[in-house]
Amino acid sequence: NPYLTLAGLIFAGLDGIRSGALPPAADADKRPLPATIHEALSCLLRDTFMCGVYGNSYISAYITQKEDEWDRYSREVSEWELEKYLKRI
């Protein structure tokens, strides 16, 4: 939902303004983004700020939905897989 995404960005920006946070220097060490959906969901669950913005019940429902979505996706056979491996049979 783009509205919820925008709301999270606005809350984060307002929190940064209130706390006087400054952006990191351009040459600062940057943490890598999560490499998988499971890593991303784990980061979200540990993010106390976002859990406070959206509420624990929404975060829990969102994580459940995304895990179910990933499970359904991972059971699908892609066009690439069919092209790559079916020709070998």
Side-chain angles (χ1 to χ4, degrees):
N1 185 327
Y3 299 108
L4 291 174
T5 301
L6 185 57
L9 291 171
I10 290 170
F11 274 101
L14 289 173
D15 183 64
I17 291 168
R18 285 189 198 115
S19 69
L22 297 173
D27 61 346
D29 288 334
K30 295 171 183 64
R31 294 181 303 205
L33 292 174
T36 67
I37 186 71
H38 298 295
E39 287 179 26
L41 294 175
S42 179
C43 289
L44 175 60
L45 191 56
R46 291 191 314 269
D47 189 326
T48 57
F49 178 78
M50 284 304 185
C51 287
V53 167
Y54 292 112
N56 288 328
S57 60
Y58 174 80
I59 294 293
S60 178
Y62 180 82
I63 288 173
T64 298
Q65 176 190 12
K66 291 301 171 185
E67 288 172 339
D68 290 345
E69 191 176 287
W70 175 255
D71 288 342
R72 287 191 315 273
Y73 170 79
S74 64
R75 288 191 298 265
E76 292 294 319
V77 178
S78 71
E79 192 65 37
W80 181 85
E81 290 169 312
L82 290 171
E83 286 291 319
K84 175 94 173 144
Y85 300 115
L86 196 56
K87 288 182 178 181
R88 292 183 180 188
I89 296 178

